[in-house]
Amino acid sequence: MVRPDWAPNEIDLERPSIARVYDYWLGGAHNFAADRTLANQALGIMPSLKSAILMNRAFLRRAVRHLAAAGVRQFLDLGSGIPTVGNVHEVARQAAPDSKVVYVDLDPVAVAHSRLMLANDNQVAVLQADIRDPETVLGSSEVRGLLDLGEPVAVLMVALLHFVPDSQNPAGIIAGYRDRLVAGSHLALSQLGAEPGEEPEGWQRYRDLYAASVTPLSSRGHTEVTAFFDGFDLVDPGVTRIPLWRPESPEDLGPDAARFPGFAGVGRLSA
Ligand code: SAM
């Protein structure tokens, strides 16, 4: 297989990656046969996945618009993925042209492609780091060089924490960011999760496939996702099924919003 110039040498083209599988589902071009095979297997098992992913992306856009309208001008997009249509800096700038964004991801393709795309943009920085280490992320030259941590920052963890099991203390990771940010900062978060008895068709087989191929998925329900906002004041309407967080159109709602397998919310850090 020919290695394209956006694929760093260190990556194994035969092993699927979360970021590239997601890129394929979103219609992107930065993925390989191994990623497409896994992506198609997952869709075969759980056909509702495709619309679920699009609805998650729509939540990301609504949340960023809300944050910009609330006066936030600094965004830290953790687990940002491979750039695609409607990236955070594009959405934020439509509302507030002076918005600054730091994209953080562990995946070499996501980082290489982000850097390539954003090389001439001095309001955006790209950091390759593990989001489970808040001190390193917030202390990095990329963050320190662009964001003023004395001013509010919106931390985005969108479709991210289902890749962080409870044994790795996701609440502690969130606290690691929260405790270094000033009042007026925000957390916007979404993650996959089905309440018992409400699992969509193929849910368990999808989780088994991911556990065997890339990484286990930690499913969390309403109560657990709400607990992630400890220390934040939830903005209306609180933690909801992802499509039900401030939907703006029938497309945002999708076919079965009340049983959607994932939850989202936005919280504000008060003084
Ligand atoms: N946030 C984007 C969105 O919602 O469209 C992309 C979500 S994608 C499903 C999850 C991303 O999180 C992937 O790009 C993956 O590489 C990244 N990721 C997972 N665990 C990570 C970690 N520990 N540190 C940094 N990035 C991580």
Side-chain angles (χ1 to χ4, degrees):
M1 185 188 306
V2 180
R3 181 180 291 269
D5 53 7
W6 47 261
N9 284 332
E10 76 250 37
I11 65 166
D12 179 353
L13 307 189
E14 308 296 331
R15 271 178 58 100
S17 99
I18 294 166
R20 298 194 312 259
V21 167
Y22 192 71
D23 174 68
Y24 176 68
W25 282 330
L26 288 175
H30 296 88
N31 47 73
F32 301 110
D35 307 310
R36 294 189 285 273
T37 300
L38 175 59
N40 285 327
Q41 279 174 327
L43 285 183
I45 291 171
M46 199 171 107
S48 60
L49 199 55
K50 179 98 181 185
S51 70
I53 282 152
L54 294 174
M55 280 187 258
N56 174 69
R57 253 340 258 194
F59 161 73
L60 171 64
R61 293 192 293 270
R62 297 197 300 279
V64 171
R65 282 198 291 272
H66 166 81
L67 294 163
V72 177
R73 296 292 176 266
Q74 308 192 101
F75 296 84
L76 182 61
D77 187 2
L78 302 176
S80 47
I82 295 173
T84 181
V85 179
N87 293 300
V88 169
H89 69 286
E90 295 162 339
V91 178
R93 277 179 193 167
Q94 280 167 9
D98 54 338
S99 298
K100 296 175 180 173
V101 182
V102 179
Y103 290 110
V104 185
D105 207 290
L106 202 51
D107 184 274
V109 169
V111 170
H113 186 54
S114 302
R115 286 195 175 132
L116 205 67
M117 212 180 103
L118 301 165
N120 298 321
D121 192 328
N122 58 14
Q123 297 291 97
V124 176
V126 182
L127 169 66
Q128 181 166 18
D130 191 323
I131 64 89
R132 293 171 294 183
D133 183 353
E135 197 176 341
T136 299
V137 170
L138 291 176
S140 67
S141 55
E142 286 83 354
V143 169
R144 294 282 163 172
L146 189 66
L147 306 185
D148 175 357
L149 299 186
E151 293 291 325
V153 174
V155 174
L156 312 178
M157 294 184 157
V158 178
L160 172 67
L161 288 181
H162 43 250
F163 299 117
V164 180
D166 289 347
S167 60
Q168 294 177 4
N169 191 14
I173 295 169
I174 295 171
Y177 290 96
R178 182 196 65 207
D179 295 347
R180 291 176 172 86
L181 297 177
V182 298
S185 293
H186 286 72
L187 171 68
L189 182 154
S190 70
Q191 87 133 73
L192 280 176
E195 298 286 12
E198 292 188 353
E199 296 87 354
E201 191 195 334
W203 178 247
Q204 192 50 49
R205 281 195 297 143
Y206 165 58
R207 295 184 65 193
D208 291 345
L209 176 71
Y210 246 61
S213 316
V214 260
T215 182
L217 289 168
S218 299
S219 167
R220 298 187 179 96
H222 185 268
T223 306
E224 292 151 296
V225 174
T226 303
F228 283 152
F229 287 92
D230 183 36
F232 292 87
D233 299 326
L234 279 166
V235 307
D236 282 344
V239 171
T240 64
R241 305 275 173 168
I242 292 174
L244 292 173
W245 196 88
R246 299 186 181 220
E248 294 168 0
S249 68
E251 293 78 54
D252 284 348
L253 280 172
D256 194 5
R259 291 169 68 92
F260 187 93
F263 294 87
V266 174
R268 183 180 186 280
L269 200 55
S270 49

mmCIF file of all heavy atoms in Angstrom, residues 18-19 22 26 56-57 60 77-82 104-107 110 129-132 158-160 162-164 190, ligand 1:
data_model
loop_
_atom_site.group_PDB
_atom_site.id
_atom_site.type_symbol
_atom_site.label_atom_id
_atom_site.label_comp_id
_atom_site.label_asym_id
_atom_site.label_seq_id
_atom_site.Cartn_x
_atom_site.Cartn_y
_atom_site.Cartn_z
ATOM 1 N N ILE A 18 -9.188 4.856 15.881
ATOM 2 C CA ILE A 18 -10.469 5.483 16.229
ATOM 3 C C ILE A 18 -10.700 6.708 15.347
ATOM 4 O O ILE A 18 -11.776 6.917 14.795
ATOM 5 C CB ILE A 18 -10.430 5.951 17.708
ATOM 6 C CG1 ILE A 18 -10.337 4.784 18.652
ATOM 7 C CG2 ILE A 18 -11.622 6.832 18.037
ATOM 8 C CD1 ILE A 18 -9.945 5.213 20.078
ATOM 9 N N ALA A 19 -9.666 7.537 15.224
ATOM 10 C CA ALA A 19 -9.818 8.810 14.507
ATOM 11 C C ALA A 19 -10.120 8.568 13.030
ATOM 12 O O ALA A 19 -10.962 9.243 12.436
ATOM 13 C CB ALA A 19 -8.553 9.648 14.667
ATOM 14 N N TYR A 22 -13.646 7.101 12.410
ATOM 15 C CA TYR A 22 -14.616 8.190 12.579
ATOM 16 C C TYR A 22 -14.598 9.097 11.342
ATOM 17 O O TYR A 22 -15.645 9.530 10.846
ATOM 18 C CB TYR A 22 -14.231 8.955 13.843
ATOM 19 C CG TYR A 22 -15.248 9.921 14.356
ATOM 20 C CD1 TYR A 22 -16.429 9.494 14.943
ATOM 21 C CD2 TYR A 22 -15.016 11.289 14.269
ATOM 22 C CE1 TYR A 22 -17.357 10.412 15.438
ATOM 23 C CE2 TYR A 22 -15.933 12.205 14.760
ATOM 24 C CZ TYR A 22 -17.095 11.752 15.343
ATOM 25 O OH TYR A 22 -17.999 12.653 15.829
ATOM 26 N N LEU A 26 -17.719 9.954 8.744
ATOM 27 C CA LEU A 26 -18.140 11.330 8.454
ATOM 28 C C LEU A 26 -17.941 11.707 6.982
ATOM 29 O O LEU A 26 -18.188 12.841 6.600
ATOM 30 C CB LEU A 26 -17.367 12.317 9.341
ATOM 31 C CG LEU A 26 -17.758 12.337 10.822
ATOM 32 C CD1 LEU A 26 -16.832 13.262 11.603
ATOM 33 C CD2 LEU A 26 -19.197 12.789 11.015
ATOM 34 N N ASN A 56 -24.089 13.616 16.780
ATOM 35 C CA ASN A 56 -23.077 14.068 17.742
ATOM 36 C C ASN A 56 -22.334 15.284 17.202
ATOM 37 O O ASN A 56 -22.088 16.251 17.919
ATOM 38 C CB ASN A 56 -22.089 12.936 18.035
ATOM 39 C CG ASN A 56 -20.952 13.419 18.907
ATOM 40 O OD1 ASN A 56 -21.143 13.719 20.084
ATOM 41 N ND2 ASN A 56 -19.762 13.556 18.328
ATOM 42 N N ARG A 57 -21.976 15.242 15.924
ATOM 43 C CA ARG A 57 -21.291 16.384 15.288
ATOM 44 C C ARG A 57 -22.180 17.631 15.327
ATOM 45 O O ARG A 57 -21.711 18.748 15.498
ATOM 46 C CB ARG A 57 -21.020 16.070 13.836
ATOM 47 C CG ARG A 57 -19.660 15.758 13.294
ATOM 48 C CD ARG A 57 -18.449 16.121 13.960
ATOM 49 N NE ARG A 57 -17.780 17.283 13.416
ATOM 50 C CZ ARG A 57 -16.531 17.625 13.716
ATOM 51 N NH1 ARG A 57 -15.799 16.898 14.545
ATOM 52 N NH2 ARG A 57 -15.999 18.701 13.227
ATOM 53 N N LEU A 60 -21.943 19.165 18.658
ATOM 54 C CA LEU A 60 -20.691 19.933 18.782
ATOM 55 C C LEU A 60 -20.891 21.351 18.222
ATOM 56 O O LEU A 60 -20.521 22.340 18.859
ATOM 57 C CB LEU A 60 -19.571 19.201 18.029
ATOM 58 C CG LEU A 60 -18.238 19.947 17.870
ATOM 59 C CD1 LEU A 60 -17.591 20.209 19.214
ATOM 60 C CD2 LEU A 60 -17.274 19.160 16.988
ATOM 61 N N ASP A 77 -10.154 21.969 22.341
ATOM 62 C CA ASP A 77 -10.925 20.854 21.782
ATOM 63 C C ASP A 77 -10.133 19.562 22.005
ATOM 64 O O ASP A 77 -9.188 19.265 21.271
ATOM 65 C CB ASP A 77 -11.171 21.121 20.293
ATOM 66 C CG ASP A 77 -12.118 20.101 19.672
ATOM 67 O OD1 ASP A 77 -12.604 19.209 20.395
ATOM 68 O OD2 ASP A 77 -12.360 20.196 18.450
ATOM 69 N N LEU A 78 -10.512 18.803 23.020
ATOM 70 C CA LEU A 78 -9.778 17.596 23.406
ATOM 71 C C LEU A 78 -10.335 16.385 22.634
ATOM 72 O O LEU A 78 -11.540 16.167 22.613
ATOM 73 C CB LEU A 78 -9.916 17.352 24.912
ATOM 74 C CG LEU A 78 -9.423 18.486 25.813
ATOM 75 C CD1 LEU A 78 -9.703 18.163 27.289
ATOM 76 C CD2 LEU A 78 -7.930 18.745 25.617
ATOM 77 N N GLY A 79 -9.441 15.595 22.025
ATOM 78 C CA GLY A 79 -9.903 14.485 21.183
ATOM 79 C C GLY A 79 -10.616 15.037 19.969
ATOM 80 O O GLY A 79 -11.728 14.643 19.627
ATOM 81 N N SER A 80 -9.943 15.990 19.306
ATOM 82 C CA SER A 80 -10.588 16.776 18.235
ATOM 83 C C SER A 80 -10.795 15.981 16.962
ATOM 84 O O SER A 80 -11.658 16.305 16.162
ATOM 85 C CB SER A 80 -9.740 18.013 17.943
ATOM 86 O OG SER A 80 -8.377 17.668 17.810
ATOM 87 N N GLY A 81 -10.004 14.938 16.742
ATOM 88 C CA GLY A 81 -10.170 14.098 15.558
ATOM 89 C C GLY A 81 -9.559 14.706 14.308
ATOM 90 O O GLY A 81 -8.866 15.731 14.351
ATOM 91 N N ILE A 82 -9.843 14.073 13.188
ATOM 92 C CA ILE A 82 -9.329 14.534 11.892
ATOM 93 C C ILE A 82 -10.229 15.666 11.418
ATOM 94 O O ILE A 82 -11.454 15.527 11.453
ATOM 95 C CB ILE A 82 -9.320 13.360 10.886
ATOM 96 C CG1 ILE A 82 -8.325 12.293 11.368
ATOM 97 C CG2 ILE A 82 -8.978 13.836 9.482
ATOM 98 C CD1 ILE A 82 -8.324 11.005 10.584
ATOM 99 N N VAL A 104 -6.447 19.189 20.256
ATOM 100 C CA VAL A 104 -5.572 18.200 20.911
ATOM 101 C C VAL A 104 -6.035 16.800 20.528
ATOM 102 O O VAL A 104 -7.220 16.465 20.679
ATOM 103 C CB VAL A 104 -5.641 18.329 22.453
ATOM 104 C CG1 VAL A 104 -4.638 17.372 23.105
ATOM 105 C CG2 VAL A 104 -5.398 19.761 22.906
ATOM 106 N N ASP A 105 -5.115 15.999 20.045
ATOM 107 C CA ASP A 105 -5.438 14.600 19.770
ATOM 108 C C ASP A 105 -4.155 13.792 19.884
ATOM 109 O O ASP A 105 -3.058 14.322 19.749
ATOM 110 C CB ASP A 105 -6.065 14.438 18.370
ATOM 111 C CG ASP A 105 -6.986 13.226 18.297
ATOM 112 O OD1 ASP A 105 -6.479 12.082 18.335
ATOM 113 O OD2 ASP A 105 -8.216 13.412 18.219
ATOM 114 N N LEU A 106 -4.368 12.497 20.132
ATOM 115 C CA LEU A 106 -3.231 11.579 20.267
ATOM 116 C C LEU A 106 -2.887 10.970 18.914
ATOM 117 O O LEU A 106 -1.777 10.501 18.690
ATOM 118 C CB LEU A 106 -3.654 10.477 21.248
ATOM 119 C CG LEU A 106 -2.614 9.672 21.989
ATOM 120 C CD1 LEU A 106 -1.600 10.567 22.667
ATOM 121 C CD2 LEU A 106 -3.298 8.784 23.020
ATOM 122 N N ASP A 107 -3.838 10.974 18.028
ATOM 123 C CA ASP A 107 -3.700 10.241 16.767
ATOM 124 C C ASP A 107 -2.793 11.007 15.792
ATOM 125 O O ASP A 107 -3.053 12.169 15.476
ATOM 126 C CB ASP A 107 -5.092 10.063 16.139
ATOM 127 C CG ASP A 107 -5.021 9.225 14.883
ATOM 128 O OD1 ASP A 107 -4.756 9.781 13.800
ATOM 129 O OD2 ASP A 107 -5.212 8.002 14.998
ATOM 130 N N ALA A 110 -4.585 12.557 12.724
ATOM 131 C CA ALA A 110 -5.415 13.715 13.097
ATOM 132 C C ALA A 110 -4.523 14.938 13.297
ATOM 133 O O ALA A 110 -4.830 16.039 12.820
ATOM 134 C CB ALA A 110 -6.201 13.411 14.374
ATOM 135 N N ALA A 129 -1.091 15.155 22.067
ATOM 136 C CA ALA A 129 -0.929 14.829 23.487
ATOM 137 C C ALA A 129 -2.042 13.900 23.921
ATOM 138 O O ALA A 129 -3.074 13.762 23.256
ATOM 139 C CB ALA A 129 -0.984 16.111 24.323
ATOM 140 N N ASP A 130 -1.807 13.277 25.075
ATOM 141 C CA ASP A 130 -2.816 12.418 25.692
ATOM 142 C C ASP A 130 -3.662 13.302 26.612
ATOM 143 O O ASP A 130 -3.131 13.884 27.564
ATOM 144 C CB ASP A 130 -2.118 11.309 26.483
ATOM 145 C CG ASP A 130 -3.095 10.235 26.917
ATOM 146 O OD1 ASP A 130 -4.256 10.575 27.257
ATOM 147 O OD2 ASP A 130 -2.709 9.056 26.908
ATOM 148 N N ILE A 131 -4.944 13.386 26.328
ATOM 149 C CA ILE A 131 -5.812 14.283 27.110
ATOM 150 C C ILE A 131 -5.935 13.834 28.565
ATOM 151 O O ILE A 131 -6.434 14.581 29.403
ATOM 152 C CB ILE A 131 -7.218 14.409 26.479
ATOM 153 C CG1 ILE A 131 -7.973 13.077 26.475
ATOM 154 C CG2 ILE A 131 -7.141 14.970 25.071
ATOM 155 C CD1 ILE A 131 -8.784 12.785 27.685
ATOM 156 N N ARG A 132 -5.491 12.597 28.867
ATOM 157 C CA ARG A 132 -5.584 12.105 30.249
ATOM 158 C C ARG A 132 -4.547 12.763 31.155
ATOM 159 O O ARG A 132 -4.516 12.495 32.356
ATOM 160 C CB ARG A 132 -5.436 10.572 30.263
ATOM 161 C CG ARG A 132 -6.616 9.881 29.592
ATOM 162 C CD ARG A 132 -6.380 8.406 29.409
ATOM 163 N NE ARG A 132 -5.279 8.166 28.468
ATOM 164 C CZ ARG A 132 -4.879 6.980 28.066
ATOM 165 N NH1 ARG A 132 -5.495 5.903 28.510
ATOM 166 N NH2 ARG A 132 -3.879 6.854 27.219
ATOM 167 N N VAL A 158 -15.904 16.007 23.259
ATOM 168 C CA VAL A 158 -17.052 15.548 22.476
ATOM 169 C C VAL A 158 -16.730 14.186 21.861
ATOM 170 O O VAL A 158 -15.721 14.039 21.162
ATOM 171 C CB VAL A 158 -17.409 16.602 21.404
ATOM 172 C CG1 VAL A 158 -18.577 16.130 20.544
ATOM 173 C CG2 VAL A 158 -17.754 17.930 22.080
ATOM 174 N N ALA A 159 -17.580 13.215 22.175
ATOM 175 C CA ALA A 159 -17.383 11.824 21.726
ATOM 176 C C ALA A 159 -15.997 11.324 22.113
ATOM 177 O O ALA A 159 -15.288 10.730 21.305
ATOM 178 C CB ALA A 159 -17.610 11.699 20.221
ATOM 179 N N LEU A 160 -15.613 11.599 23.330
ATOM 180 C CA LEU A 160 -14.250 11.288 23.790
ATOM 181 C C LEU A 160 -14.227 10.341 24.988
ATOM 182 O O LEU A 160 -13.496 9.350 24.995
ATOM 183 C CB LEU A 160 -13.542 12.603 24.146
ATOM 184 C CG LEU A 160 -12.185 12.479 24.813
ATOM 185 C CD1 LEU A 160 -11.159 11.888 23.839
ATOM 186 C CD2 LEU A 160 -11.701 13.830 25.315
ATOM 187 N N HIS A 162 -16.005 8.032 26.225
ATOM 188 C CA HIS A 162 -16.289 6.581 26.167
ATOM 189 C C HIS A 162 -15.017 5.793 25.839
ATOM 190 O O HIS A 162 -15.017 4.570 25.911
ATOM 191 C CB HIS A 162 -17.445 6.251 25.192
ATOM 192 C CG HIS A 162 -17.413 6.987 23.906
ATOM 193 N ND1 HIS A 162 -18.327 7.959 23.582
ATOM 194 C CD2 HIS A 162 -16.581 6.896 22.845
ATOM 195 C CE1 HIS A 162 -18.064 8.431 22.373
ATOM 196 N NE2 HIS A 162 -17.012 7.805 21.914
ATOM 197 N N PHE A 163 -13.933 6.512 25.485
ATOM 198 C CA PHE A 163 -12.648 5.829 25.292
ATOM 199 C C PHE A 163 -11.798 5.850 26.568
ATOM 200 O O PHE A 163 -10.667 5.389 26.547
ATOM 201 C CB PHE A 163 -11.870 6.485 24.141
ATOM 202 C CG PHE A 163 -12.591 6.417 22.824
ATOM 203 C CD1 PHE A 163 -13.003 7.557 22.162
ATOM 204 C CD2 PHE A 163 -12.895 5.185 22.252
ATOM 205 C CE1 PHE A 163 -13.686 7.491 20.955
ATOM 206 C CE2 PHE A 163 -13.586 5.103 21.047
ATOM 207 C CZ PHE A 163 -13.984 6.255 20.402
ATOM 208 N N VAL A 164 -12.337 6.409 27.634
ATOM 209 C CA VAL A 164 -11.604 6.460 28.911
ATOM 210 C C VAL A 164 -12.392 5.660 29.949
ATOM 211 O O VAL A 164 -13.452 6.093 30.407
ATOM 212 C CB VAL A 164 -11.418 7.916 29.389
ATOM 213 C CG1 VAL A 164 -10.654 7.953 30.703
ATOM 214 C CG2 VAL A 164 -10.697 8.759 28.326
ATOM 215 N N SER A 190 -19.892 15.171 25.343
ATOM 216 C CA SER A 190 -20.875 14.169 24.922
ATOM 217 C C SER A 190 -20.191 12.817 24.974
ATOM 218 O O SER A 190 -18.966 12.727 24.843
ATOM 219 C CB SER A 190 -21.382 14.441 23.504
ATOM 220 O OG SER A 190 -20.375 14.193 22.552
HETATM 221 N N1 SAM B 1 -14.392 15.307 19.039
HETATM 222 C C1 SAM B 1 -14.555 14.924 17.656
HETATM 223 C C2 SAM B 1 -16.021 14.821 17.335
HETATM 224 O O1 SAM B 1 -16.827 14.655 18.233
HETATM 225 O O2 SAM B 1 -16.375 14.869 16.162
HETATM 226 C C3 SAM B 1 -13.831 13.602 17.338
HETATM 227 C C4 SAM B 1 -14.317 12.436 18.146
HETATM 228 S S1 SAM B 1 -13.506 10.907 17.744
HETATM 229 C C5 SAM B 1 -14.789 9.764 18.008
HETATM 230 C C6 SAM B 1 -12.519 10.659 19.205
HETATM 231 C C7 SAM B 1 -11.118 11.247 19.091
HETATM 232 O O3 SAM B 1 -10.520 11.179 20.395
HETATM 233 C C8 SAM B 1 -10.197 10.487 18.158
HETATM 234 O O4 SAM B 1 -9.630 11.373 17.228
HETATM 235 C C9 SAM B 1 -9.132 9.878 19.072
HETATM 236 O O5 SAM B 1 -7.864 9.821 18.454
HETATM 237 C C10 SAM B 1 -9.157 10.852 20.232
HETATM 238 N N2 SAM B 1 -8.678 10.293 21.508
HETATM 239 C C11 SAM B 1 -9.121 9.169 22.144
HETATM 240 N N3 SAM B 1 -8.450 8.994 23.301
HETATM 241 C C12 SAM B 1 -7.570 10.044 23.402
HETATM 242 C C13 SAM B 1 -6.596 10.423 24.368
HETATM 243 N N4 SAM B 1 -6.402 9.691 25.478
HETATM 244 N N5 SAM B 1 -5.870 11.551 24.149
HETATM 245 C C14 SAM B 1 -6.057 12.295 23.021
HETATM 246 N N6 SAM B 1 -6.977 11.980 22.069
HETATM 247 C C15 SAM B 1 -7.715 10.866 22.261
#
